[in-house]
Amino acid sequence: MRRFNTAGTCRPNEHYMVDITERVEIIRKMIAQGDYFCINRGRQYGKTTTLEAISKQLSDEYCVFQISFEGVGDSYFEDASTANAAFLRLLRQNAQWTNEEEKIKNILDEVAPRGLKSVDSFDFADIVAELCTQSSKPVVILIDEVDQAGNNDGFIKFLGGLRNMFLNRTTHPTFQSVILAGVYDVKNLKLKMRPEEQHQYNSPWNIAVPFDVDMSLSAVGIKGMLDDYEADHHVGIDTEEVASWVREYTGGYPFLVSRLCQQMDEQNDWSHDGLLNAVKVMLNERNTLFDDMIKKIEQFPDLKSLLKEHLFAGESRKYNPDNQAFQLAEQFNIINARNGSFAIACRIMETRIYEYFMAEEHESEIYSAGSIEKTQFFKGDGLDMPLLLQKFSEHFNEIFRTEDGNMDVKFVEKQGRKQFLLYIRPIINGVGHYYVEAETRDETRTDLIINYNNHEYVIELKIWRGDSYNTKGESQLFEYLQLKKHNIGYLISFCFNKNKQPGLLPPVESNGRTLIEAIV
C-alpha cells in the first residue's frame, strides 16, 4: 500500500505524489535544445524527486547519469584534478547500476578505477569527448546537492572545465545537457577563496539558461494525488475541497503538502476540523524543513530583519531582486515575489516564523500578562474573545502609556500587532493557532485569524486614523466577515487620541453581523 512520504525521494509506486509529468516535459524540451541550467529551490522542494523522474522518463532518448555530491568530502574539491576524478568515479558508480551500454561501462571502468585520485583538465576533456562519442544516445548529466561542494576552489574550476567544453561543443563532443540542483545558485555562490578572510562572488556557470518552472504543487495536482488515495481507501474524501484547503495552508510547498496529508491520514480525519488539527500538530513539531528555515534566518541577519519588518510592522518594502536579503529569502522559498512586492510563501511557514520571533520575547510583560490571566478567557471549548480584547486593552495601556497619558506612536506602529500576538500566544498555546491574512496586511491594518478548538475568530488590527477612516475599516471588516461566512468579528484600534478611552465600544450591527471593537 502506498503512503504519503516526507523522508527522501518520492516514488510513484511507493508513495502518493502529485503528477509532475508537465514539469518533466518542460525540462525535456530544454534538454533537447542542449540547455545547461540550475534547479535551485529550498530544502525538500522536490528537486531530487524531479531529477529521478527525468532520469527514468528520458532514459529511452538519452544516456542519463544521475549523481549527487552529497557525502563527497571537501578534499575531493580542493583542486580541479581531484574534482574531475571524483566526478568520473561517481559516473562509474552510476553506470554500474543504471546504464545498459557496455561500451560506456567499459570506458568508465578503464578511466575511473576505484583508486583514481586526479585527472588533469586536458585528460578530463578527452575522456568526456570519448564517452559522448561512444554512447549511442546523447549524454545528460544530473548533479544533485551541488552546493555541498560550492565552498571550494576546485569545484569552481571543475565547473569552468564543463563550461569550456560547452563553449567548444561544435568541435569537441561533450554532454548534451548538464543540470545542477541545489539550494544555492552556483552563479552566485559566496566563496571562501585563497586567504580565509577573503570572500568574493564568482560566476563559473554563466552559460546556464534561466529555469523558471513553477515547482509548487497546484490544487489540481493535489486533488489528483488525493483521488489516488481515495481510490485505495474509500474513506469518502471530497478531494477537490480538501486539495483547496491543503493548497491554501501550504502554498503548494511539496514537503508541507505531503506532511499535512500524512498527518490527516494518520488521524483518519479529512474534514476541515481534521485539517486544522493537522496544522496544529505541524506548528508544534520539529522537522527538517522548519529546523533548516530557522537556521537560515539565524545565519543571515539581513534576512531576519527583512522578515521582522514585514511580519510585525507591516512594512511593504518594494521587492528588490538585487538585495541580498530578498535573494536569500526567495532562494530558500521563504517568500514569493508578486508584482513588485512579496509575501511569505504560505500560512504554515509564516506562522512558524512568527512563533520563532515571539519565542525570543517570552519574558516580556505583555506575554506574562496573557499567561497569568489565560484561564479566565476559556469559555466552553472556545474563547471569551470580548473579555480577551478588554483585558488586552487594559494591560497594553498599563504597560506602554507614559505618566502623562501619551503613547509612543512609532512604537505602536512597529510593535502593536506583535504585542497582541505575544499576549494571545500563551492563551492559545498547544490548543489553537493563528495566521495573518496576507492579502489584507499593510501598514495600517492586518486581519488575524485565530483557530481554537476548531472555533475561528476574525480579528482586524489597525492604527486609528480618525472617525471616517475607522468607519471605512468597519465596512472592510464586515465585507471580510461576509466572505469568511462569520457572523461576529473583532476590531482592535490602536489610538493616540487622548480623548478616546481604552476598552470595549458598544457593538456595531450590519446585515445580521456584529462587530466588537476595542480601543487600545
Side-chain angles (χ1 to χ4, degrees):
M1 187 68 72
R2 288 184 293 173
R3 65 188 189 281
F4 294 104
N5 176 51
T6 56
T9 307
C10 290
R11 297 181 175 90
N13 61 324
E14 298 178 31
H15 308 123
Y16 294 110
M17 57 182 292
V18 171
D19 184 0
I20 60 172
T21 301
E22 184 177 350
R23 184 189 310 170
V24 174
E25 286 305 309
I26 295 173
I27 295 172
R28 182 196 297 270
K29 292 178 182 177
M30 297 177 72
I31 291 173
Q33 294 170 174
D35 291 339
Y36 284 34
F37 56 95
C38 306
I39 300 178
N40 299 118
R41 297 293 186 276
R43 291 289 177 207
Q44 296 174 292
Y45 210 87
K47 300 182 295 295
T48 303
T49 297
T50 298
L51 293 183
E52 190 156 306
I54 295 169
S55 181
K56 288 183 178 179
Q57 296 186 35
L58 272 62
S59 59
D60 289 342
E61 300 175 59
Y62 300 99
C63 175
V64 182
F65 290 91
Q66 183 186 352
I67 63 175
S68 173
F69 283 168
E70 186 171 21
V72 178
D74 280 355
S75 61
Y76 288 100
F77 296 99
E78 288 178 352
D79 61 57
S81 61
T82 55
N84 293 339
F87 172 76
L88 292 174
R89 289 176 66 181
L90 288 171
L91 294 190
R92 178 180 176 276
Q93 288 179 352
N94 182 261
Q96 286 180 325
W97 302 106
T98 62
N99 203 298
E100 298 177 357
E101 293 193 45
E102 288 300 323
K103 287 189 296 185
I104 298 299
K105 291 181 180 180
N106 291 337
I107 292 173
L108 289 169
D109 282 340
E110 181 179 346
V111 301
R114 293 181 184 276
L116 184 68
K117 298 295 183 183
S118 65
V119 176
D120 68 34
S121 57
F122 293 105
D123 288 340
F124 183 63
D126 288 340
I127 292 169
V128 170
E130 177 72 9
L131 198 66
C132 295
T133 301
Q134 293 297 322
S135 175
S136 62
K137 295 177 285 190
V139 179
V140 173
I141 305 294
L142 314 177
I143 309 178
D144 203 1
E145 301 290 349
V146 292
D147 37 12
Q148 296 283 326
N151 203 31
N152 296 276
D153 187 34
F155 172 67
I156 299 304
K157 291 178 180 177
F158 163 73
L159 289 183
L162 295 181
R163 175 182 178 276
N164 189 56
M165 287 185 275
F166 171 84
L167 296 175
N168 294 305
R169 64 193 182 280
T170 56
T171 57
H172 206 81
T174 191
F175 304 125
Q176 169 75 12
S177 179
V178 176
I179 303 173
L180 308 180
V183 174
Y184 294 91
D185 186 348
V186 297
K187 291 186 294 183
N188 297 295
L189 279 174
K190 190 173 187 179
L191 305 167
K192 284 186 268 186
M193 307 283 286
R194 303 176 198 91
E196 182 66 20
E197 67 276 6
Q198 288 186 355
H199 295 78
Q200 71 180 50
Y201 285 94
N202 202 306
S203 299
W205 206 237
N206 56 13
I207 57 173
V209 301
F211 182 76
D212 299 324
V213 177
D214 184 2
M215 290 178 62
S216 66
L217 305 180
S218 67
V220 173
I222 297 169
K223 179 184 181 302
M225 175 180 68
L226 295 177
D227 286 339
D228 288 346
Y229 178 89
E230 175 63 20
D232 287 344
H233 295 270
H234 307 289
V235 292
I237 302 174
D238 184 336
T239 57
E240 183 173 0
E241 187 172 46
V242 174
S244 69
W245 297 337
V246 171
R247 170 71 189 186
E248 188 175 19
Y249 271 87
T250 65
Y253 200 114
F255 172 85
L256 295 176
V257 169
S258 294
R259 182 69 186 111
L260 197 53
C261 292
Q262 187 181 58
Q263 189 61 40
M264 286 189 284
D265 175 42
E266 290 174 1
Q267 66 191 23
N268 194 27
D269 187 352
W270 293 88
S271 67
H272 193 261
D273 288 350
L275 172 90
L276 295 179
N277 287 330
V279 170
K280 180 177 69 176
V281 169
M282 289 178 64
L283 289 172
N284 286 286
E285 73 179 5
R286 290 192 62 180
N287 59 50
T288 53
L289 175 61
F290 291 153
D291 286 349
D292 185 74
M293 179 179 69
I294 298 305
K295 182 176 71 174
K296 294 293 193 299
I297 293 172
E298 291 175 345
Q299 184 179 356
F300 299 101
D302 289 347
L303 172 61
K304 187 173 185 177
S305 296
L306 173 71
L307 296 175
K308 267 192 172 182
E309 291 172 5
H310 176 69
L311 293 178
F312 291 120
E315 293 190 2
S316 54
R317 286 177 59 182
K318 183 177 176 59
Y319 172 76
N320 180 1
D322 297 319
N323 180 284
Q324 187 188 44
F326 281 108
Q327 289 177 2
L328 291 169
E330 195 168 23
Q331 193 162 250
F332 302 146
N333 288 104
I334 295 175
I335 68 167
N336 293 324
R338 300 175 183 173
N339 301 320
S341 61
F342 71 98
I344 306 298
C346 66
R347 284 183 185 174
I348 291 178
M349 190 175 286
E350 180 173 89
T351 303
R352 189 60 181 250
I353 297 172
Y354 267 119
E355 288 291 287
Y356 161 71
F357 285 137
M358 289 193 295
E360 297 180 326
E361 303 190 37
H362 66 278
E363 295 182 356
S364 69
E365 288 186 72
I366 200 76
Y367 180 95
S368 297
S371 181
I372 292 169
E373 297 196 338
K374 64 182 179 180
T375 55
Q376 66 181 304
F377 304 129
F378 304 146
K379 187 176 182 180
D381 63 349
L383 295 172
D384 187 338
M385 192 58 68
L387 179 61
L388 190 153
L389 299 191
Q390 171 71 37
K391 289 296 183 180
F392 170 71
S393 173
E394 293 174 4
H395 288 301
F396 191 93
N397 283 279
E398 288 173 4
I399 294 169
F400 299 113
R401 280 198 184 274
T402 60
E403 292 182 0
D404 61 3
N406 290 322
M407 190 177 294
D408 187 334
V409 175
K410 290 185 177 180
F411 170 81
V412 175
E413 290 179 339
K414 293 275 188 181
Q415 296 281 335
R417 299 159 190 175
K418 179 180 180 180
Q419 299 305 319
F420 181 69
L421 293 176
L422 282 169
Y423 186 73
I424 66 169
R425 188 171 186 262
I427 298 169
I428 66 173
N429 189 36
V431 179
H433 66 273
Y434 60 86
Y435 67 88
V436 175
E437 188 65 81
E439 285 74 12
T440 62
R441 182 202 291 111
D442 60 28
E443 295 179 5
T444 57
R445 65 184 286 250
T446 294
D447 287 326
L448 177 71
I449 314 297
I450 296 177
N451 287 296
Y452 185 87
N453 272 337
N454 302 325
H455 295 277
E456 193 167 77
Y457 304 93
V458 178
I459 306 170
E460 180 179 307
L461 296 90
K462 68 180 183 64
I463 305 296
W464 181 278
R465 304 293 189 194
D467 290 331
S468 61
Y469 187 86
N470 192 59
T471 301
K472 179 182 177 183
E474 291 175 351
S475 299
Q476 289 176 327
L477 184 52
F478 276 124
E479 292 174 3
Y480 188 61
L481 289 175
Q482 184 176 3
L483 178 66
K484 299 289 288 186
K485 299 179 180 178
H486 279 269
N487 292 324
I488 301 177
Y490 303 90
L491 179 62
I492 297 177
S493 296
F494 294 95
C495 180
F496 312 110
N497 187 338
K498 288 184 180 180
N499 296 323
K500 285 286 184 182
Q501 293 297 314
L504 291 181
L505 297 179
V508 178
E509 306 283 342
S510 177
N511 296 322
R513 291 183 168 82
T514 302
L515 177 60
I516 298 174
E517 181 174 3
I519 298 294
V520 178

